[in-house]
Every structure is written in C-alpha cells, then in structure tokens.
Amino acid sequence: MLMYLGAICLTNALFVSLLHSVAERIQFSVGDISLHPMNLLFVLLFMDSVPLYFFVRERELARLQYQFTLKQWKPVVVVFLFFIIASSTMLIPALSLRGNSENSLLILDKGEFNWDKPRFGQYGLRAAGMFGMLPAYLETMGYELKKDSLLTGDNLEGVKVVIVINLNSVVAEQEKERIKQFVYDGGSLLVLGDHTDMMGVMGPLNTLIDFVNIRYKFDSAHYLKRDWRDSFEQFPHAIFTGITDETDVGISVGASLEFSPLHAKPVLAAKYGFSDAGDYMNTQNAYLGDRRYNQGELLGDLILVAEAPYGKGKVLVFGDTSSFQNGSLAYTYTFVQNVLRYLSRTEDNFFDVFFRTGFFLSFLLGIFSCFLVVKIQYNPAIVLWVSLLVLSTSVVIHTMADYEMEIVGQPSPIAYIDASHLNRFTAYGDDGIWALTYHLMRNNYLPVVSRTFSSELMEKSAVAIFISPAKALQASELETIDKYIRSGGVVIWSVGYEEKESSKEILTKYGFDIDNVPLGPIPRTETNAGIRFKKAWPVMFQGSEPIDTICTGWSYPVIAATSLEKGKFVLVADAHFFLAENLEANHTFSKSNDLFLSVIQHTQRPGNLVEQQ
C-alpha cells in the first residue's frame, strides 16, 4: 500500500513540476492564449491512473493468468513513435520565433509621452524621463525604428509592428481605417495606455481599438500589498518566455481592461489587486481615486494585458506603459524583446503552419492509438505512461532552451548587472539599483539586469557589475569572467567584509582580500575626489599582479583595480556603494560617485582617472 501511495505522490509531483511549462510550450506551439495550465488536469488523471491500475490489478486480477509477450509491446512502440513525432514538431515552431520575424517598427509619435532620458542635473527616482532609452534598446535588439505623427500608406510600407503610446487625440477616420487594414493584412498593433483617463488618453485609445472590442476602464489597477509581488497570473503566452519575476514584466499602476470574450483573450491578470475607480475631481493627481479598496470596486482578476486577432494580424493592449519606460528597461528588456518578437513574427509561413498542424495531428493520433490498437488485456496504462514520459521529456528539454536578449547592433555600450547569485539588492527603494541604472544611462550605457549568468550577454557588454553576491560562482563562471576581462572587458565587484565569503575565490584569483576593519561612511574629506561610501572596508593585496589604488579612506585603500591584458578587475570594498541610498536616494546626488562610474569608459589605468578628477 505504501508503495502505491508513494507512486501517487510521485506522479502528482511530476505533474506539478511540469504543469506550467507543458501548458506554456503547447500554447507557444499552437498559438492559443486561452490554454490555461489547469486545463491539463486530465493529464494528472491519466498519470494517477497508472499506479492505481497496478494497485487494482494486483489485488483484483491476481487470479488471472497474465504473461507479457513480445507481441504485446508492439502497440507501445507504435505510440512511442507517434509521440516522438509530436514532441519534435512541438519544438520547431517555438524555435522559429527567434529568427522568423520582420524588424521594422513604427511608433506613432503623437500622445502624452516624451523622449527624455536620465540626464545630469535631474536626480531622484522620478527623474528617468519616459521613453528616451527605448529606441537604443530596440536598435540593440536589431529593430529598425521609425517615428511618425501620422498613419499613412507610405510610412506603413515594410512595417510589421505599429506602436501607439498614450494617444490623446482621436485619429482621423482615414488613419483608423488604414491601421485596421494594416492589421487585417498581417501587421501587429501594440497599444500602451495608462490609468484613469490620464491626460485624456482613454477616449482616443478606446476609439482606435474598438474594432477588436478591447477597452480601457476609468480606473487604476492597484496592488493590494506594496507591489505586485506574487499577484500576477500569467496566462501561457510566448511573451512570458524566460520571465520568472514580476519586476521583469514591469507593470506598475495602470488601467485595467475589459473586452468581449468572443473577440479577445486575457494575457496577464492581477489575481490580487483591485480596480480603484477614477475621480475626475482629482485634477491635481491624474484623476486617481483614493487608492484604497472600497465597496463596489472589483477585487481580483483584473485584466492588465489583452490580445485580439484581427484578420491575419493581432492587437496586443497594455493597460500600463511602465514596461517600456526608461526606469524599467534594465529589467524588462527581455520581456520587451519577447513582445516584439511575438508581434513581428510572420504567421503565414508555410512550415510554421505545417508543424503546428503536425503537432496537433500527431498528438491526437498518439492518444487515439492507445485505445485503438491496444486491447485492455495488453496493459494500456503502460502505453500511456511511456507516451506521457516521452512528451514530458521533450517539454523539459525545450524549457532548457536559452532565451535571452539577442544583441544585434550596439549603438550604445551595454552594462551587464548580475542578479543570478542571490545578490543583495532590489530594483527600487533605498536598497535598489535604480540609481545605478540611471547613472549608467546618463553615461550613455544600456544597463541590463540578468537573472541567469549569461556568458553570451557578458561578452557583448562593455562592463559587468557584480554587487554583493551571496552565492559563490561556479568554476565555469569564473573562467568566463577571466576570459571576458582578458579580452577587454571591465568587471566591477562591489562587496564588503561581511559578504566576502561568496566572493573569496574571485578576490583571491586577482590578488585581493578585504580586512575586518569597519571604516563606515568615510568623511568625504578623506577620499580621493570626495567619493561617497556607506559602509567601507580596507582592501588588502596578496597577489603578484600590479594593483592600482583608486580611492582611500582613513589612509586605507577602499577601491582598487588590477589590469589583465586588455581589461581590468575593479574591487569596491563596500556592498552598499552602488545602491540608491549611497547614490541619489532622497533626491541627493553624489557627483564624485558618478564620475567614478566613468572609469569604465576609459582604457587608461583606473587610478589615473580619479587623480585627474
């Protein structure tokens, strides 16, 4: 009995571990965004039937003479082959998303937004500008971007995706018909809007997309807690490939959406949130309501992103613009790229359609074979078990596929920020790295925060920044970093004595250590060029390579660097150095810290840079 109970637990654990990935990959292959993971509960029924079958067979059918023969395994082989075909065809359409797309985008340059970037002289969390960095990120992803204030036949030639942001005036009927025809013929429309009819955008946006029956509501979709952590329900969709954290989606407080289920489908919902009704009397604060839940307001299941097909094309609507704004792009670049890959994909490719159809037919034929060619006495449970095992294995292999930012062009250098080693920072707040990303943008860098260690992305970056990792690097990762430095890259490592255990190997490798002498914030008069610290420690040297002292405090070296062939390794002995509390929290700003960041722009030895400042 215990053995069968254990088998039931094992099949349930296997089902749970594969639940979301199976649903996502099937949806990704067949293109049906309505497919929800819980719709696969029938799979759990089949999986649990396997140990149940043997349990019943052992007790109820023990008296029957039963003996396996080679003939009985023929149906198993047949079904096994069917599922091999199904699994193979399942992978190909998903992989085609990487290359089978058109790269021309048009942004309707008419609406309530700006192209400002973070710049010197403006500091604080709200000083990022809006969409000024988006073109540089898009060009780095390989997209050709056009801007125009009109939607005409000429400027739509060769364009695959039209992006509309916070449209605040109704487009002419001729333009609306042109965009409808554009989508009907196979183009894609990406619509980004905001909450509570802010600046009069709700009416024009609703008028533009009324042909797909999606509408912005006069509300703000508000989280119940401090943020959206653990609140999203991501319906299986290609745009969430590789997305593991709410911060990487970037949705903030925007409008919720309503739509006709006959015409559109949800893509992203808020399970835990509420629809805060707008207030037209609140003219000083963008018509926001009281931002508290009141009786009568919708609680839970708010639609934040919706999609509708139209002809050969599709319309994707966001109730918030934050994912595409400067302040989020360091985290959301993968999500943004997924969205544009999905929208720019050529849907009428013959092989794509062929393999989608082949997957469906093979899958159905394989299941049908279980019951058609296998008689009951030939143990169909084994056949089903083998079939599901093959399918599950193919899905697991597919989930291991590498989805990350594809660097095609590099109009601006990339700054790689590691977040894959339990690094002790958040996105926003005093312990966040938003100030660091703003500083990098001011210095013309494109910061990208990577939750998985990516040697490919690092190799294409001008600088790699590691902040207080709590998880030690693997030998292969250390080798990648060393190769990166020697080929011309710059690694900046920020860590204090209390956190140095996980960084010991790389510090030793380059001849560094950190002493147990707390120096604290260090008075600015004690530093080279007045660089600000939060919690500094002395750097010790123990290798044979020449070391440059960049900055001292209380006569101790606190920032030092070593050059290796074409690149360099810079150690900052303060785990808080790059966090907002040390850079520009509470609207303060350290000019000297920002000047220090420019060390990554120079090929000269780092010590000389600060001396010149």
Side-chain angles (χ1 to χ4, degrees):
M1 173 65 75
L2 290 177
M3 182 178 68
Y4 290 109
L5 287 176
I8 290 286
C9 291
L10 180 62
T11 54
N12 278 263
L14 179 63
F15 174 75
V16 170
S17 66
L18 297 176
L19 175 65
H20 285 280
S21 59
V22 168
E24 180 180 338
R25 301 312 163 188
I26 295 177
Q27 180 278 326
F28 195 34
S29 297
V30 303
D32 183 5
I33 64 174
S34 66
L35 179 62
H36 190 274
M38 296 308 294
N39 293 340
L40 295 180
L41 285 176
F42 71 92
V43 178
L44 179 60
L45 175 64
F46 284 127
M47 294 174 70
D48 283 343
S49 69
V50 176
L52 181 62
Y53 170 82
F54 286 106
F55 177 77
V56 173
R57 176 175 173 268
E58 181 179 337
R59 282 155 178 75
E60 300 291 333
L61 305 179
R63 64 183 182 276
L64 298 179
Q65 295 297 321
Y66 193 90
Q67 196 172 21
F68 285 106
T69 65
L70 180 62
K71 179 181 178 182
Q72 291 172 296
W73 284 99
K74 290 181 179 178
V76 176
V77 175
V78 171
V79 178
F80 185 88
L81 291 176
F82 274 126
F83 274 87
I84 285 290
I85 297 171
S87 302
S88 301
T89 56
M90 179 181 179
L91 304 181
I92 295 173
L95 295 176
S96 71
L97 189 63
R98 296 181 68 90
N100 187 24
S101 63
E102 299 177 26
N103 63 358
S104 182
L105 313 175
L106 171 66
I107 294 182
L108 181 62
D109 198 6
K110 179 170 65 174
E112 287 293 341
F113 65 94
N114 61 62
W115 296 106
D116 293 344
K117 304 177 182 180
R119 60 176 182 266
F120 294 102
Q122 294 185 356
Y123 307 110
L125 183 59
R126 300 184 180 276
M130 292 188 75
F131 298 96
M133 298 299 300
L134 182 60
Y137 277 91
L138 296 181
E139 289 173 18
T140 299
M141 296 172 190
Y143 290 99
E144 176 188 342
L145 182 63
K146 298 191 290 186
K147 302 176 188 174
D148 205 315
S149 59
L150 295 174
L151 298 173
T152 65
D154 293 338
N155 60 21
L156 289 178
E157 286 296 327
V159 171
K160 184 59 181 178
V161 182
V162 171
I163 304 174
V164 176
I165 307 172
N166 279 344
L167 182 66
N168 63 344
S169 60
V170 177
V171 299
E173 191 63 30
Q174 182 180 3
E175 287 186 87
K176 180 179 176 181
E177 290 302 318
R178 181 67 186 91
I179 195 67
K180 285 175 62 177
Q181 189 62 44
F182 167 78
V183 176
Y184 187 84
D185 291 339
S188 293
L189 175 63
L190 174 61
V191 181
L192 311 175
D194 271 309
H195 55 76
T196 55
D197 197 15
M198 182 179 69
M199 297 171 290
V201 303
M202 185 175 72
L205 288 175
N206 286 341
T207 301
L208 177 68
I209 58 177
D210 62 3
F211 66 96
V212 290
N213 286 279
I214 300 177
R215 294 183 58 81
Y216 286 83
K217 296 172 65 177
F218 181 53
D219 73 347
S220 56
H222 207 286
Y223 35 78
L224 290 174
K225 300 175 288 185
R226 290 181 55 193
D227 52 32
W228 290 115
R229 179 69 59 183
D230 300 321
S231 297
F232 287 160
E233 179 175 11
Q234 298 176 358
F235 290 87
H237 198 284
I239 67 173
F240 298 119
T241 302
I243 302 300
T244 59
D245 190 277
E246 291 86 351
T247 305
D248 299 341
V249 174
I251 295 289
S252 183
V253 177
S256 67
L257 305 171
E258 55 185 1
F259 57 85
S260 166
L262 297 176
H263 298 89
K265 300 172 183 178
V267 176
L268 178 68
K271 293 184 294 184
Y272 310 117
F274 64 97
S275 172
D276 187 41
D279 180 7
Y280 277 121
M281 299 299 291
N282 188 9
T283 57
Q284 301 299 315
N285 198 17
Y287 305 144
L288 283 167
D290 58 8
R291 305 188 73 172
R292 296 180 179 179
Y293 176 70
N294 298 302
Q295 186 175 3
E297 294 178 337
L298 179 62
L299 180 64
D301 294 332
L302 307 177
I303 304 303
L304 307 180
V305 182
E307 180 185 21
Y310 186 73
K312 296 180 180 179
K314 44 189 174 274
V315 178
L316 189 63
V317 182
F318 280 69
D320 185 43
T321 62
S322 300
S323 305
F324 296 79
Q325 290 194 27
N326 302 337
S328 301
L329 281 169
Y331 280 94
T332 63
Y333 63 93
T334 297
F335 180 64
V336 169
Q337 182 165 256
N338 286 348
V339 168
L340 294 175
R341 280 179 183 171
Y342 173 71
L343 293 176
S344 61
R345 187 182 182 197
T346 304
E347 291 291 347
D348 58 355
N349 182 281
F350 170 78
F351 290 102
D352 184 47
V353 175
F354 171 79
F355 283 118
R356 288 189 184 199
T357 306
F359 165 71
F360 253 135
L361 292 178
S362 299
F363 187 81
L364 294 175
L365 192 55
I367 293 179
F368 181 67
S369 300
C370 290
F371 303 97
L372 183 64
V373 303
V374 183
K375 297 180 181 179
I376 294 299
Q377 64 267 32
Y378 287 169
N379 208 340
I382 293 180
V383 179
L384 187 58
W385 176 261
V386 172
S387 303
L388 288 173
L389 183 62
V390 172
L391 182 60
S392 300
T393 302
S394 72
V395 171
V396 170
I397 292 173
H398 184 49
T399 59
M400 296 170 63
D402 187 18
Y403 293 97
E404 59 184 25
M405 184 176 180
E406 288 187 8
I407 308 300
V408 179
Q410 282 190 259
S412 301
I414 293 170
Y416 177 97
I417 303 174
D418 179 70
S420 64
H421 294 88
L422 301 178
N423 307 76
R424 293 172 182 172
F425 61 78
T426 62
Y428 307 103
D430 286 350
D431 61 346
I433 59 168
W434 59 266
L436 171 62
T437 62
Y438 290 8
H439 281 218
L440 291 167
M441 290 176 182
R442 291 185 190 112
N443 285 285
N444 199 37
Y445 283 83
L446 299 183
V448 294
V449 179
S450 181
R451 295 193 186 277
T452 58
F453 187 85
S454 171
S455 57
E456 292 80 8
L457 185 54
M458 183 183 295
E459 287 172 3
K460 296 177 181 178
S461 303
V463 60
I465 301 174
F466 292 77
I467 302 174
S468 188
K471 176 184 175 183
L473 275 71
Q474 300 176 9
S476 59
E477 295 171 340
L478 289 169
E479 184 179 344
T480 295
I481 291 174
D482 188 67
K483 179 181 177 182
Y484 167 74
I485 294 174
R486 295 181 184 279
S487 62
V490 176
V491 170
I492 300 182
W493 203 277
S494 171
V495 65
Y497 177 82
E498 295 165 305
E499 304 88 2
K500 76 169 186 176
E501 191 62 33
S502 300
S503 303
K504 257 188 173 181
E505 287 190 50
I506 194 164
L507 296 182
T508 302
K509 183 179 182 67
Y510 297 117
F512 291 103
D513 199 359
I514 299 175
D515 198 4
N516 186 17
V517 179
L519 302 177
I522 302 178
R524 298 184 66 180
T525 55
E526 289 289 325
T527 67
N528 295 351
I531 294 177
R532 176 188 294 162
F533 291 86
K534 180 73 175 180
K535 197 174 182 180
W537 305 81
V539 175
M540 297 192 299
F541 312 126
Q542 56 184 8
S544 58
E545 295 292 334
I547 301 293
D548 288 324
T549 297
I550 298 176
C551 180
T552 62
W554 305 110
S555 300
Y556 291 98
V558 288
I559 302 179
T562 182
S563 297
L564 296 128
E565 297 182 14
K566 298 179 181 180
K568 54 181 163 252
F569 179 87
V570 182
L571 173 62
V572 181
D574 183 351
H576 303 261
F577 187 84
F578 290 114
L579 304 186
E581 60 185 354
N582 192 55
L583 295 182
E584 57 183 272
N586 302 318
H587 302 286
T588 61
F589 173 68
S590 174
K591 181 178 179 180
S592 296
N593 285 46
D594 197 70
L595 290 173
F596 164 73
L597 291 177
S598 65
V599 69
I600 58 184
Q601 295 176 275
H602 294 256
T603 55
Q604 58 184 313
R605 298 178 77 82
N608 299 330
L609 178 68
V610 175
E611 290 170 3
Q612 292 172 358
Q613 304 298 341

